Amino acid sequence: MTEAEQQKPAVGDEVLHGRTRAIVTDIRAGVVWLRAPGRDEWPADDSQRLRVTRTRVQRIEAGDL
């Protein structure tokens, strides 16, 4: 596992939610909210199962933000 995969998701991180690649848009009352292309925002059913693929900083460095 990489360092990004071991950490808790934060706003702006890219994560895998099952097979869906999404961006963490908010964390409200401990609930992680996600958004993916072509989908409305939704709450993650279990934030412990989210796998961080790239942090916000890594996305900025790659020019994706």
Side-chain angles (χ1 to χ4, degrees), residues 2-21:
T2 67
E3 182 179 324
E5 292 170 339
Q6 294 173 356
Q7 64 183 305
K8 291 183 180 183
V11 173
D13 288 353
E14 180 183 87
V15 298
L16 280 179
H17 180 257
R19 291 183 167 184
T20 303
R21 188 171 304 274

Side-chain angles (χ1 to χ4, degrees), residues 4-27 32-37 39 42-56 58-59:
E5 292 170 339
Q6 294 173 356
Q7 64 183 305
K8 291 183 180 183
V11 173
D13 288 353
E14 180 183 87
V15 298
L16 280 179
H17 180 257
R19 291 183 167 184
T20 303
R21 188 171 304 274
I23 303 298
V24 176
T25 58
D26 201 357
I27 301 174
V32 177
W33 285 77
L34 306 171
R35 185 178 303 267
R39 289 190 62 178
W42 76 95
D45 50 358
D46 182 0
S47 63
Q48 299 294 337
R49 299 181 82 182
L50 295 175
R51 186 168 58 101
V52 177
T53 54
R54 292 189 304 162
T55 65
R56 181 177 187 274
Q58 290 169 326
R59 292 179 60 227

